[in-house]
Amino acid sequence: MAFPAVRLTGCFPEAHGFVLLDPARLDRHLGADSAGRDLLELLTTTDAGDAVVRAGIAIPLMGVDVGYYTVLVRHVADAAPWPAPAPSSPGGVLGTETGSLLLCGVGYLTRWTPGHPRHRRVSVPPGWYTTDIRRYDHAEGTDDAAYEFLLTPTPA
């Protein structure tokens, strides 16, 4: 089932990256005591980060230059809002049981607060999605540039 595209403006890549994740699945995977912990260190210095990505809990986007970005999360059936993106890269598989996702700067993982006011909420139908990540330079009506998480429904 398609869903309306979600356009998030003024997104800043804390620690040079973004992450799109299911907070309920992340907390369940890491344990209820994950709030307040330094998840960035845990996820980048142990096997926990690879396990979270393999489980389809989070899709990281790293190596983002400092600036403000428009980030679009859209269903593959919706038309692209801008022409000629840079080549896309596969982001992996993302699953959500509740349909409630978060987009946040990677730096916010250093003191994980699921309800932080700077996290951006994205609603999609519950299910599994393959993702492609695209960058758009000089996209009309955006901040400095734009990124897009393109979601394609897939069986579990």
Side-chain angles (χ1 to χ4, degrees), residues 8-11 67-71 138-139 141-146:
L8 308 166
T9 59
C11 299
Y68 287 94
Y69 294 88
T70 296
V71 178
H138 314 295
T142 67
D143 297 300
D144 295 331

Side-chain angles (χ1 to χ4, degrees), residues 78-135:
D78 291 341
W82 307 294
S88 67
S89 61
V93 175
L94 181 64
T96 177
E97 296 166 1
T98 64
S100 180
L101 302 175
L102 286 181
L103 177 81
C104 65
V106 170
Y108 285 104
L109 296 176
T110 59
R111 185 167 171 84
W112 178 238
T113 307
H116 194 287
R118 292 244 167 97
H119 296 335
R120 304 298 190 84
R121 307 277 174 206
V122 177
S123 293
V124 300
W128 289 93
Y129 300 90
T130 57
T131 63
D132 286 314
I133 300 171
R134 297 178 176 174
R135 178 185 166 97

Side-chain angles (χ1 to χ4, degrees), residues 29-102:
H29 182 82
L30 297 177
D33 62 345
S34 62
R37 291 175 56 197
D38 184 346
L39 299 187
L40 184 59
E41 181 177 345
L42 175 72
L43 297 174
T44 58
T45 62
T46 70
D47 291 337
D50 290 336
V52 164
V53 171
R54 273 194 312 274
I57 296 169
I59 302 293
L61 170 58
M62 302 303 294
V64 179
D65 293 331
V66 172
Y68 287 94
Y69 294 88
T70 296
V71 178
L72 185 69
V73 180
R74 74 173 174 93
H75 189 278
V76 68
D78 291 341
W82 307 294
S88 67
S89 61
V93 175
L94 181 64
T96 177
E97 296 166 1
T98 64
S100 180
L101 302 175
L102 286 181

Side-chain angles (χ1 to χ4, degrees), residues 4-23:
V6 178
R7 180 182 267 197
L8 308 166
T9 59
C11 299
F12 188 81
E14 301 288 337
H16 298 282
F18 295 110
V19 62
L20 183 63
L21 60 88
D22 181 321

